[in-house]
Structure formats: C-alpha cells, structure tokens
Amino acid sequence: MALVEVEDLVKHFPVRGGILNRVIAKVNAVNGVSFTIEKGDVLGVVGESGCGKSTLGKTLIRLIESTGGSINYDGVDITNLNHRDMLPFRRRMQIVFQDPYSSLNPRLTVRALLKEAITHHKIVAEADMEDFIESIMLKVGLRADQKNRFPHEFSGGQRQRIGIARALALQPDFIVADEPVSALDVSIQAQVLNLMMDLKDEFGLTLMFISHDLKVVEHFCDRVLVMYLGHVVEEMSCVDIHENALHPYTKALLGANPINDPDDRRELTVLEGDVPSPFNPPPGCPFVTRCPKVEARCNDAMPPLVDKGEGHRVACFVVND
Amino acid sequence: MKPKFLRSRGAKKFFRSRIATFSLVVIGIYAMIGSAVLFFDVISVDDTLQRVGPDSTPMFGEQSLEKRLRDVDFQLARLDTALNKKPEDVEPAIAELALAERTISTKPREELSAEIERAWVSYDTLAEQKDEVEFEAFDAKKAELKESGVEDREEIQRIAGNAADASVAELVASEEFVSSLAQLEQIVDDLYAPLTGWSAKLYDLRRSMGTDRQGRSIAIRAIFSIKIALQIGVVTALLSVIFGSLLGAAGAFYGGWIDHLVVWLYSTFSSIPSLIFLIVISYRFIGTEFESSLFPVYVAFCLTFWIGPCRIVRGEVLKIKELEYVQAATAVGFGKFYILLKHVVPNTMHLMFINFSLLFIGAIKSEVILSFLGLGVKNQPSWGIMIRDSAPEVVNGFFPQLGAATVFMFILVISFNILSDALQDAFDPKHVS
Amino acid sequence: MSAQRNAPILQVQNLTTSFRTDDGILTAIEDVSIDVHPGETLGIVGESGCGKSVTSKSIMRLLPTATSILSPESKIMFDELNLAHCSEKDMRSVRGARIAMIFQEPMTSLNPVFTVGWQLDEALSYHTDLSKSGRRQRSVEMLRLVEMPNPEERLDEYPHQLSGGMRQRVMIAMALCCEPEILIADEPTTALDVTIQAQILKLMEDLKTRLNTAIILITHDLGVVAQVCDHVCVMYAGRVIEKGTVREIFHTPQHPYTRALLESIPKSGRREHGKRLPTIEGVVPALNNLPPGCRFAARCSIAEDQCIHNEPDLKDHAFSGRPVRCHIPINQTTAAAGSKGQA
C-alpha cells in the first residue's frame, strides 16, 4: 500500500535581482516529479549536487512550499493544508539532516530538545516524560545519563544519533533522511547506517533516503530514484543495480564511483563537462550536454518516464526504443 | 543556569585572561558604588552642591603661600559678616557657614569675635608686610631704571614687577613669614568645632581631590557621577539592545514587508548625523516636565543606538534561519513565533552581550558630549557637567576637576572596552570551536 | 607502479607537530615517517582528526608559526635540505616551485576578485623569469594541460564564473605551472561530485605519468585510494599505523583498524544488500585525552592487556616485512575485503 504518492511535483525558486529587486529568473529545482513510496519501503534518491534531491525531500514534508503538483500522504492530500491541519502530519513525517553541527540548536540540551517536541504533540503524559526520553536515547545508542548535555559535548556521529532521536520521539511512520551519513567518517557512517536499519525494522518505518553516494544507497535502499537537474531520469530496484541500470546518466554515476579494489582498476567513466546551470537548462533532455548516446531528438523534448516492467522506469529516448 | 554558564567553554576562556578578570573587578566596584548611590542615597544631590572648603584647593601638593593667605582672608571675612548680622540672624547665618561635617565652634559668640579680631590683626600684619616689601622693591627698581636712562614705560613696569615678585617670594619663603602664617591658620582652624572619628575621615575624603571654584568637593561629585553614568549606560544600552535586536530578528526572520520596514527604518535613522539628532531630541524636551530628569537623555540615546544591534542581529538571524535546526523545528510543527523566540533569538545572545558593552561605552561618552553642550544632564553633576564646569578653571591652570572626571570616566570605559573585547573573543563561535 | 623504485625524493622522518592551545600543548602528529618516490602516488588515509592534513601542512610549513611547533628531531629531507628547520627564505624557493599543493575547497582557494589569468600570471612571475607574453602563453598551455575547454577565454574569467570542477582544474594548473617535483593534494575531490571527481582523478593520473611528478594524495575515501595510489600510509589519532603498497593494504591488511575500516564500507551486489555493516564501535580518542597504550585499543576487537598498557612501535612485521604498529597484527591472508562481492 502506498504511503506517499507524489504527482507532478514542481518547485521553482524565484531569482531576484536588479535595482528593483524584481523576479528576473527562476530556478527549476524540482521539475514535475512523480513517484510513490510503499509502506515499509526505503526509497533512495541519488544525484549530484544541485539536482534537486534535497529540495524534493523538503518539499515532500512541506518544509518548502511546492509551486505545483500534489502530495498525498496516507490517502490525504496535504499539499495545501494550513498550519493547524498539517500538525498531525507533521508528527507522522520527520526529517534527519545532513550536517550534525547545524542541525541541533546549540543552546538546548538533548533532554530539552526532545521534551519540547514531545510536549508539543502530547506524545506521552508529563509523568512518563523522563522514562520516554531515556528509552528513545537508548534506542538510538546514547546513554540515558547524557540527556542533560549540550550538543557540542557530543561527537559528530553522536549528534547524528540525537538528530535521529528527535525524529523518532514523535513516533513518525515516515522519515526523510537528507544525506544523514555524508558528513561522517567511514567507520561512523557504518554505525549510523546500521542504527537506521535496525530502527526501520523495529518501528516499521518508511524512509526516503537522500544521498549522493550510490554505494550507500545501493546497500541500504529498496528502490532508487536517480535525479538530474530537477528531473527523475530513472527509477529502479536497488538489487543488482549495476546490471539493470539503463539510463546513460545512471551508468555514468555507477562507473564514476571508485571501487575499493586496487586490482579492479578499470577506467573510470568520465563524463565530459559539468552539470548545466539550472538557470537555463537545455530545452530537451537535461542530460543532453554530457550524454554519450545523444541523438538529435534529445534536444527537442524531455523524454517521458517509460515503465520497463517491475516498476523500472527510464526517461531516455535511446534506451526506450 | 548560572553555574552552567560559568562552566561553559567561553566563560573559562574569558576568565583565563587576567586583564579581563581585572577589568570585571573594576566594573564590579563601579557598579557597587553606583548602586549604593542610586538605591541607598549614600550621596545625595545636595552633597554634591555643598561647599566643603575654600575654592580651588588642589588634589595634592603645596598651595602657594599667597593662596593660603587669601583663603584665610575668605574664611575670616564670611564668619565676620555672619557675626555682625542682626542678633536674631546670627545663629542661622553661622549654621550656614558649616563646611559639610565641619561646623563652626560652639564657643560663646563674644569669644569667637575676639578670636577673629586677633586673627585679623595677625592677618593685617602679614598682608601689610607683604605689600610693603612689594611696593618698596617695585619703586626702588623703577627709580634705578629711570636713572640708568630706560625710556620705555612698559619695559620699566615689567622689570619692576618682576623685581617686586622676586622680593615677595623671598619674603614669603622666609621662616618668620611661614611660621606666622601657620599660626594664623591654626587660629582660623580653631574657629571650627574639632572633628573626630568617622566625621574627620569623611571630611578628609571630601577634600581628597580638592575643591572646585565654588568650594564644592570634586571627589563627591566624581563619585556621584558614577551613578549617572551607570544609569544612562545600563538603561540606554539595555533598551537599545532589546529593541534593536528584536526588531532586527523579526525583520530577518519574517522577511517580506516587515523586513523592508526594519531596513528602511534603520537606514533612515542611521543617515541622520547622530550628534545633531541627539541635540534636536534633547532640545525638544526643554520646557517640558521631563526637562530636569534623565528622560530626554534616555530617549535621545535609545533612538540613535538601536541601529547597531538591529543591523548585526538581523544579519545573524538571516544566517540562523537557514540552519537545519530551525527547519527541524518547523518539521516538528512549531509555530513561527515560537521558533523565533526559542530557537533563533537565544542564539544571538552573544551578539547582544557584545553590543551591550559597546553601547554602554558609547552612551557614557555621548553623555559627556551632550552635557558639555548643556543639553544632557541637568541639576546634578555628571562627568560631562564637571568637564564643562572645569573650563574656566583650566584657563587659570587648575586641573583637579577636569582630571578627576576624565580619570573616572577613562577607567570605566577602558575596563568596558577590555571586557567587550574579551567577551567577543570568548563567545565568538568562530573562536570557540 | 615501477617494479624498481627510484630513490625517494622526499623523506619524512620522525615528524612530530604540536599545537599550543587553550588546553595546553597538544601533539597532533607524532613520529610520522614517510618516503615519497618520483612518479608514484602515496596515499595518506585516515578519518578526520587523524593528522593527515597536519602532516601535509607540516611538510609545506603552512602551519601558523605562532601556535605550531615542529619537534627538533623532525626531519623532512628534500634534496639535501631539511624543510623542517630550514629558513623561511629557503622554504619560499621550494614551496610552490618544487613542492606544490592543492586544497580541498576549490571555492575558497582562488581569490574571487582576480581573473584566472591574473592568478596564474602572478604565480608564474614569482617563480619564473618569463616575459609577460611568455607567461600568458604558458598559462594557456597549463590550462590546456589540465584539459580546460577554451583555455584562452577562461583566462579572462573570474573564479565565480567557473564550476567547482573547473576551479579545481585551475588550482591544479597553478600548482603545476612550475613543474614541481612533488604535488600534495589535500582531499582534492572531497567537495566535488562523483562524475567531476572521476574527471579530476583521471587528470591527476595522466599528469603523473606525463610529468613524472610524485603525488601525495590525502583522502578519507578508500575507493579513491584503491583507484589511484601506489603506496598507502594509514594514520590513526596522529600516528602512522600501517604502510604498504596499495595491494598489500587492501588485500592483506595487518592492522585491525585498517581491516575494520575496509569492512565497514557498504559493498554492492545482491548478497550484501541490506545486511548489517561491520562497524568500529566508539570514537577516535581526543588528542588531549590519549590512552597510555595503543590508541586503537579501546575500539579494537582483538585488543589484549598489553595493547591497553603499552603502545606498540611501528616495526616491520615478520610475516610480510611491512611496518605495522600493532602487538598482534593479523597474520593470515584475509580474503580481500575490498573486492568481495564486487561485480
């Protein structure tokens, strides 16, 4: 059963400039994205910086207001709910951020941080508060006696655990994890990934896992959404991603990822050039400037996402022929 | 909260700096004196206006013998006048002559008159002796010059004058003259009731920095001014920081027309030269019931000072509101106002601290300028008033009043400067981690 | 990798760097010894705070002189010159001209108010005697060398007009313009996207073979190390804990930390999907609170009593002849952790 259904989601950021501070351009951060997330699934979103993956995640839980399209959560259209009607959904949809330093208010202790959120949503009675906070801290691998400490007294990995605890405290059923391990060292990354995996099983969470690291996404997610310049170019199952990838961009991403084996030194797939500026994207397929398989028709229109079976969708004229 | 704060890294860093700790102690002493004056009236306005001795006595060092002679003349003359009044007016007039703790002796009035008479005789001898020597020397020199054929009259006057001065100096330096002047001063001293214990110490304190042109205690005036300075500093710095910060935070956080308004306000206010603005506002209050209070000063300062914190806090909030913990709070479902108060404003606290100490100094310095122009503090002394009052004294080479006001202000301002530097070092997030 | 290694061009011996901080003197790196050979890439790997950047900055003497101290035993031998204790004047003739460095942040390493051409020209005029037109020509050549499209036009552009990858190319061009013998690259691709990272890595590889430059590559990304390095030096909490060729490190890691680090990277393939990752529990010890024994002991799965009390020396291990800082190094050829399950 689908928990999240996104239909043709669009987010444009206005660009102001000039003497009169008028809107002179717009950046299409998210450009008509549609997908569904099944209950209990982990959807990975990958892409390079500026592809709109973070904006997508934040628009989805309405930290950023969308420009167009609709978001259905558990059968309810939440796209235009006001602050009060949104409140129950706020509890059910939480977010874990990338930067373990800027994502925690430096002036609140762990206890204050959790208590504030719990009280706001009346999750537990005041009398059970301390027990509840301690149980959450234990769940994410922090000691209960650390609850009166301030964020700066923790290491990066522990701070990320606090961020996860804040999300979990509201007993959500959907969490957007926005690059939760990108800022962490390899050994800490593994700890946090394991923790998220355990919590997902224990609480039956549905996750949207945003990352630029295909290795992590491949390991952790059930399905993956590959984004390029605000468009979804491919959606597929994470199992055997190397064999099944069809879109030239996905293949390039996989090929550019250095492999941990000195004996397997293949030529890294090198894409020419850079991601085009989001201010003036190419008119047709966004990948047209760097695509090794580019044809004349790619310049004219954005290729549609075509289902190749088993939910594997690709947006490429050449592949879909 | 307090012990946690003291254990914080910033606080530890602050206290490691010895000079910062020392400046904090100095500020503490000032604050104690200031609040003692403010809340317990240890020194009243009347104390600062009271005559405590002859005029223009210096802080330390010997006075010239001629000045001492003049002081004796002054004291004898006013006691003489009081005693020669109508019988019923004599006692009140004598009471008025008290120099703070130093009251006129309770001896029978006839005895007092006799003593004054005796003093006058002795004074006259000394004065006559002086005049005699002076004129003799002057005339002798003049004649001598004329004989030797000097024509220029001005030249003669000058040389003769110098000769007269020299002979007077010779006279007053003579042991005989000095001892008889000391005797005379002793007689004058005995006209007053003897001081003992605390009142003696207190009187010494009053005289410790000398007296101004009206014989008022410079020490008392300078100490009283601490209260005025702290009052103006604390009230205006606090109000401007709170007002400015909240405005700046709200503008940056809500954006849109609120931000436009805030930016327009501070750019307009900051384009008016602040001194002229201060003068206009103080002038506006002349003739109203607030004229003699500090209220016009508060208003003038707050209206110019809020711009600084407003601008800085606005910049910081623009940065903070993009941080992920603010987004996380939105994701929990908190309202905007709650997020502003709980998650945004507390994180600009270090800026408010630093701004407070900067504005505090600014307020004290501006008070001096405003009072000097006669638009600031009214009817009570302040360092600015003292500096203004010292202008004619300085022309005559008398510096204690100017010096006292400047030194008192300098110590406070430099302590605060050191403090705000140390605060900035200790609480600047860039230095902390 | 050349079968027969040339004499090392740079020998770092017993490099110990300390910092004066509010909490007293902290030793960031201790007793670091590395050899750099011409035409080879030496990778220095480790987690944040292990001292890999301090090592490179100590070699370049880029640390603030007021707060950093290089111990007197430290030796950085480069062409008969001990860089650790030579004069600033000698250092200036080496820095930039013979040893160049590129940094992690291409956004902040270039001065935003000058054009790319101006900044290249500045570097060239400082280190060479070329005429103005000669310098311009050389700048274009350098940009062409780093495969910058339209190099003539790029010279007159400002850094903000270039993308991150382009800027890193300009940085590399600036570093290489005096044909240095050693290039130190401090996390050169960390701030870049994977496709751009691939471009830069390929470029560095090409340049190495073409110019026979020795490269010191500092990174935390083991994938990058596996792909481009010849020799690897693993650091942990300010200490070198293992050295070897890239194959040895990846196939037969002898230090438990190296092995655990390799295992904790997510692997691809159906067999590994969704499995729990092996982790290293705990965190790196703080520099002001180092344990008396092995610095990894608290997190090590095979630590013994002696590990907790005595710090092991970096000594050649009998089994492989490679230097390892461990009392009980892993002795058997482990199944190559990195390549397992790799398609």
Side-chain angles (χ1 to χ4, degrees):
Chain A
M1 197 191 127
L3 183 69
V4 181
E5 286 172 278
V6 175
E7 196 64 51
D8 203 21
L9 195 67
V10 178
K11 176 64 196 176
H12 294 167
F13 287 109
V15 179
R16 289 174 188 278
I19 300 169
L20 296 173
N21 205 23
R22 270 198 296 234
V23 178
I24 51 170
K26 57 181 186 187
V27 175
N28 305 336
V30 177
N31 240 336
V33 169
S34 310
F35 61 90
T36 58
I37 307 176
E38 300 295 322
K39 217 166 230 170
D41 255 14
V42 183
L43 176 74
V45 180
V46 281
E48 296 177 273
S49 51
C51 74
K53 53 189 194 300
S54 258
T55 312
L56 176 66
K58 286 174 186 170
T59 315
L60 189 62
I61 61 166
R62 288 197 52 203
L63 282 181
I64 299 175
E65 293 303 326
S66 58
T67 316
S70 70
I71 306 156
N72 270 296
Y73 186 83
D74 212 2
V76 181
D77 186 350
I78 60 164
T79 324
N80 294 309
L81 291 183
N82 61 23
H83 181 76
R84 185 186 310 184
D85 294 338
M86 190 63 203
L87 211 52
F89 293 100
R90 288 265 185 236
R91 184 190 70 71
R92 296 177 63 188
M93 314 193 310
Q94 279 300 306
I95 183 164
V96 175
F97 290 99
Q98 169 179 10
D99 183 355
Y101 291 88
S102 73
S103 62
L104 299 174
N105 185 342
R107 288 185 187 268
L108 292 185
T109 60
V110 180
R111 182 175 162 279
L113 189 87
L114 296 178
K115 189 178 171 189
E116 176 192 60
I118 296 166
T119 318
H120 189 65
H121 284 285
K122 304 185 182 65
I123 305 284
V124 292
E126 191 65 34
D128 304 327
M129 184 68 74
E130 297 307 313
D131 289 345
F132 186 72
I133 288 172
E134 281 169 20
S135 74
I136 296 238
M137 288 184 68
L138 286 176
K139 284 261 156 57
V140 298
L142 295 166
R143 296 199 314 273
D145 62 289
Q146 292 171 320
K147 68 178 174 182
N148 285 322
R149 294 200 189 165
F150 286 91
H152 66 82
E153 295 170 75
F154 292 95
S155 67
Q158 284 175 315
R159 282 161 155 264
Q160 207 55 301
R161 287 169 194 270
I162 300 171
I164 295 172
R166 170 175 57 198
L168 274 187
L170 299 181
Q171 301 178 328
D173 32 36
F174 176 61
I175 292 181
V176 173
D178 187 0
E179 307 237 15
V181 296
S182 303
L184 305 176
D185 275 319
V186 184
S187 69
I188 311 296
Q189 209 172 54
Q191 292 175 5
V192 172
L193 279 177
N194 278 349
L195 170 70
M196 291 187 70
M197 232 178 277
D198 296 345
L199 294 172
K200 181 199 153 235
D201 292 341
E202 186 175 348
F203 296 99
L205 295 170
T206 308
L207 284 167
M208 178 164 170
F209 189 91
I210 298 165
S211 177
H212 66 269
D213 190 344
L214 254 173
K215 255 184 267 178
V216 174
V217 167
E218 190 187 348
H219 181 86
F220 183 66
C221 302
D222 298 313
R223 304 187 60 72
V224 61
L225 216 58
V226 183
M227 288 188 74
Y228 191 77
L229 221 60
H231 293 274
V232 171
V233 293
E234 185 161 13
E235 185 192 348
M236 63 191 291
S237 160
C238 265
V239 181
D240 297 333
I241 193 166
H242 282 267
E243 287 76 36
N244 295 340
L246 290 173
H247 197 282
Y249 178 63
T250 317
K251 283 185 173 168
L253 266 186
L254 287 165
N257 222 336
I259 299 150
N260 289 324
D261 185 1
D263 289 337
D264 189 6
R265 272 195 191 180
R266 43 183 132 177
E267 271 300 279
L268 293 177
T269 316
V270 172
L271 280 178
E272 289 304 314
D274 293 303
V275 183
S277 155
F279 293 102
N280 54 4
C285 174
F287 191 52
V288 73
T289 53
R290 303 171 80 192
C291 185
K293 294 183 180 171
V294 63
E295 291 177 9
R297 55 182 167 164
C298 301
N299 283 311
D300 302 331
M302 173 69 203
L305 268 176
V306 175
D307 200 326
K308 306 288 261 185
E310 292 177 11
H312 188 163
R313 302 187 295 159
V314 190
C316 179
F317 289 124
V318 183
V319 172
N320 285 335
D321 277 347
Chain B
M1 187 67 206
K2 193 81 188 246
K4 194 93 206 173
F5 170 74
L6 285 177
R7 264 186 287 132
S8 78
R9 219 179 148 149
K12 272 189 201 146
K13 212 166 157 182
F14 178 86
F15 285 111
R16 205 171 291 134
S17 157
R18 210 169 290 162
I19 187 150
T21 317
F22 181 71
S23 73
L24 198 66
V25 171
V26 172
I27 293 165
I29 294 169
Y30 268 82
M32 264 155 55
I33 297 173
S35 42
V37 174
L38 181 65
F39 299 115
F40 305 108
D41 260 339
V42 177
I43 302 170
S44 67
V45 180
D46 291 340
D47 283 332
T48 67
L49 300 175
Q50 196 174 33
R51 181 182 270 283
V52 296
D55 66 298
S56 309
T57 51
M59 202 178 297
F60 43 75
E62 288 281 294
Q63 288 196 85
S64 74
L65 294 161
E66 290 172 276
K67 172 73 170 50
R68 278 163 68 182
L69 205 56
R70 266 214 316 278
D71 287 350
V72 168
D73 176 21
F74 163 76
Q75 299 195 45
L76 288 177
R78 53 186 211 138
L79 201 53
D80 212 6
T81 324
L83 284 171
N84 287 336
K85 290 210 166 162
K86 280 182 264 165
E88 66 268 26
D89 288 343
V90 168
E91 282 311 311
I94 283 179
E96 258 175 41
L97 291 183
L99 300 170
E101 285 79 21
R102 218 166 174 221
T103 50
I104 303 297
S105 169
T106 48
K107 289 176 197 159
R109 293 311 171 217
E110 296 75 37
E111 204 175 310
L112 217 53
S113 294
E115 262 174 53
I116 289 172
E117 215 41 53
R118 203 152 57 83
W120 273 131
V121 171
S122 151
Y123 172 80
D124 287 345
T125 352
L126 283 174
E128 261 166 42
Q129 205 178 346
K130 190 191 125 211
D131 287 353
E132 213 167 281
V133 170
E134 193 174 350
F135 285 113
E136 224 165 68
F138 187 81
D139 292 341
K141 193 74 189 174
K142 212 166 144 184
E144 186 192 319
L145 285 170
K146 270 197 178 146
E147 238 166 63
S148 57
V150 180
E151 292 291 312
D152 189 348
R153 285 188 70 188
E154 267 179 37
E155 184 73 4
I156 292 170
Q157 289 281 344
R158 194 177 58 77
I159 298 174
N162 282 348
D165 284 351
S167 55
V168 169
E170 201 181 306
L171 169 76
V172 296
S174 73
E175 221 168 272
E176 191 192 347
F177 192 90
V178 172
S179 68
S180 40
L181 179 60
Q183 270 173 24
L184 176 58
E185 277 177 333
Q186 190 56 50
I187 298 171
V188 175
D189 260 358
D190 288 342
L191 296 175
Y192 293 94
L195 283 174
T196 50
W198 277 110
S199 49
K201 288 210 172 67
L202 196 58
Y203 186 70
D204 284 348
L205 173 72
R206 285 183 200 274
R207 292 289 297 269
S208 61
M209 291 182 197
T211 57
D212 67 0
R213 243 158 46 108
Q214 284 134 46
R216 298 177 297 193
S217 160
I218 291 172
I220 293 296
R221 284 164 72 79
I223 293 170
F224 181 85
S225 302
I226 292 176
K227 172 205 128 174
I228 299 287
L230 291 181
Q231 231 178 330
I232 290 174
V234 170
V235 170
T236 55
L238 202 63
L239 286 181
S240 331
V241 166
I242 292 172
F243 180 67
S245 302
L246 288 183
L247 217 56
F253 189 68
Y254 288 109
W257 66 269
I258 301 180
D259 196 32
H260 286 303
L261 183 72
V262 170
V263 172
W264 181 84
L265 270 177
Y266 77 58
S267 24
T268 309
F269 270 78
S270 63
S271 53
I272 304 169
S274 59
L275 191 60
I276 296 193
F277 193 57
L278 290 177
I279 292 169
V280 169
I281 294 167
S282 319
Y283 194 75
R284 175 69 193 75
F285 279 96
I286 288 176
T288 65
E289 57 185 307
F290 298 114
E291 191 189 341
S292 59
S293 70
L294 288 175
F295 189 72
V297 182
Y298 294 158
V299 174
F301 286 176
C302 284
L303 279 179
T304 46
F305 285 174
W306 67 273
I307 295 159
C310 178
R311 193 176 283 180
I312 288 164
V313 168
R314 179 174 172 272
E316 184 72 8
V317 170
L318 280 178
K319 208 171 76 199
I320 292 175
K321 82 167 180 176
E322 297 301 328
L323 288 182
E324 289 177 339
Y325 64 80
V326 174
Q327 294 184 21
T330 314
V332 169
F334 295 123
K336 278 208 132 192
F337 187 64
Y338 177 87
I339 294 174
L340 176 63
L341 281 193
K342 184 82 185 258
H343 292 272
V344 176
V345 171
N347 283 299
T348 62
M349 219 49 127
H350 63 290
L351 290 179
M352 296 191 197
F353 265 124
I354 292 159
N355 260 292
F356 175 84
S357 60
L358 290 177
L359 292 187
F360 186 90
I361 298 164
I364 290 171
K365 292 200 287 194
S366 305
E367 180 273 317
V368 170
I369 295 168
L370 217 56
S371 300
F372 188 79
L373 294 172
L375 292 165
V377 177
K378 306 264 165 66
N379 302 336
Q380 48 189 340
S382 78
W383 292 325
I385 298 276
M386 285 173 72
I387 290 172
R388 188 184 61 174
D389 288 352
S390 69
E393 296 171 355
V394 170
V395 176
N396 294 328
F398 182 76
F399 295 102
Q401 173 147 254
L402 180 73
T406 320
V407 167
F408 267 71
M409 184 173 75
F410 176 75
I411 292 173
L412 181 61
V413 169
I414 201 168
S415 304
F416 248 93
N417 269 331
I418 293 166
L419 180 79
S420 68
D421 267 1
L423 280 179
Q424 240 170 102
D425 282 351
F427 291 103
D428 189 338
K430 267 172 270 159
H431 294 291
V432 168
S433 58
Chain C
M1 215 182 305
S2 50
Q4 193 186 350
R5 298 179 81 182
N6 312 323
I9 185 166
L10 179 80
Q11 280 180 299
V12 177
Q13 282 158 13
N14 310 94
L15 179 63
T16 302
T17 305
S18 319
F19 290 94
R20 293 192 189 89
T21 69
D22 290 345
D23 305 322
I25 288 178
L26 293 184
T27 305
I29 51 170
E30 219 172 318
D31 223 1
V32 171
S33 301
I34 48 176
D35 289 349
V36 185
H37 297 266
E40 284 187 8
T41 305
L42 172 74
I44 302 183
V45 228
E47 297 178 272
S48 47
C50 72
K52 52 190 194 300
S53 278
V54 175
T55 308
S56 68
K57 285 184 180 151
S58 301
I59 295 173
M60 287 293 270
R61 291 264 299 274
L62 285 175
L63 296 166
T65 43
T67 52
S68 64
I69 315 154
L70 259 65
S71 78
E73 307 87 70
S74 303
K75 265 194 193 161
I76 305 172
M77 297 311 294
F78 176 69
D79 202 17
E80 313 278 293
L81 192 64
N82 185 359
L83 301 185
H85 300 291
C86 72
S87 69
E88 185 57 33
K89 188 163 162 268
D90 287 342
M91 197 62 223
R92 268 204 293 272
S93 67
V94 170
R95 196 190 286 144
R98 304 186 61 194
I99 304 181
M101 188 162 182
I102 51 178
F103 298 91
Q104 174 175 359
E105 274 298 327
M107 306 295 158
T108 52
S109 311
L110 286 171
N111 189 335
V113 300
F114 295 113
T115 60
V116 169
W118 192 95
Q119 297 186 49
L120 274 165
D121 188 78
E122 186 191 30
L124 282 168
S125 66
Y126 189 82
H127 291 296
T128 67
D129 305 323
L130 292 170
S131 66
K132 190 156 175 60
S133 58
R135 293 200 297 265
R136 173 118 189 148
Q137 204 183 338
R138 181 105 177 102
S139 302
V140 174
E141 270 170 36
M142 289 319 295
L143 289 185
R144 198 163 285 138
L145 183 73
V146 295
E147 289 160 20
M148 183 82 103
N150 314 325
E152 287 87 356
E153 290 165 35
R154 297 292 176 195
L155 279 183
D156 299 319
E157 289 188 355
Y158 287 90
H160 69 89
Q161 292 168 292
L162 305 178
S163 66
M166 295 280 198
R167 281 180 229 188
Q168 201 59 292
R169 279 167 197 264
V170 173
M171 284 307 298
I172 295 174
M174 276 171 78
L176 294 180
C177 68
C178 301
E179 295 182 354
E181 286 137 84
I182 302 174
L183 176 67
I184 302 178
D186 190 351
E187 307 254 5
T189 58
T190 307
L192 305 174
D193 282 316
V194 258
T195 58
I196 310 298
Q197 167 174 295
Q199 293 172 359
I200 299 291
L201 290 181
K202 182 164 172 285
L203 174 69
M204 284 174 58
E205 193 69 19
D206 290 351
L207 293 174
K208 183 180 75 179
T209 46
R210 240 193 301 170
L211 305 173
N212 203 33
T213 315
I215 298 179
I216 303 179
L217 179 71
I218 291 158
T219 181
H220 67 273
D221 189 335
L222 289 165
V224 171
V225 172
Q227 291 297 314
V228 303
C229 292
D230 301 315
H231 284 260
V232 181
C233 159
V234 185
M235 291 186 73
Y236 185 80
R239 289 275 200 194
V240 173
I241 56 155
E242 184 166 6
K243 289 196 280 192
T245 65
V246 67
R247 284 211 170 76
E248 287 166 338
I249 295 286
F250 276 80
H251 295 323
T252 56
Q254 293 192 343
H255 199 285
Y257 172 69
T258 316
R259 187 177 65 172
L261 203 61
L262 286 167
E263 282 173 352
S264 64
I265 303 168
K267 318 286 181 307
S268 50
R270 189 186 281 272
R271 268 196 307 156
E272 302 288 327
H273 183 82
K275 276 191 192 162
R276 281 183 66 90
L277 292 162
T279 60
I280 311 174
E281 289 308 319
V283 290
V284 183
L287 287 177
N288 56 2
N289 189 21
L290 288 171
C294 175
R295 294 179 180 182
F296 186 60
R299 303 173 74 190
C300 185
S301 56
I302 56 169
E304 291 176 356
D305 252 12
Q306 56 171 341
C307 303
I308 294 162
H309 300 299
N310 305 313
E311 180 160 20
D313 293 325
L314 184 70
K315 54 175 184 271
D316 287 355
H317 178 45
F319 169 67
S320 65
R322 282 201 291 122
V324 180
R325 193 184 287 277
C326 186
H327 288 304
I328 29 177
I330 301 155
N331 207 347
Q332 72 281 14
T333 315
T334 46
S339 64
K340 203 201 272 180
Q342 194 63 256

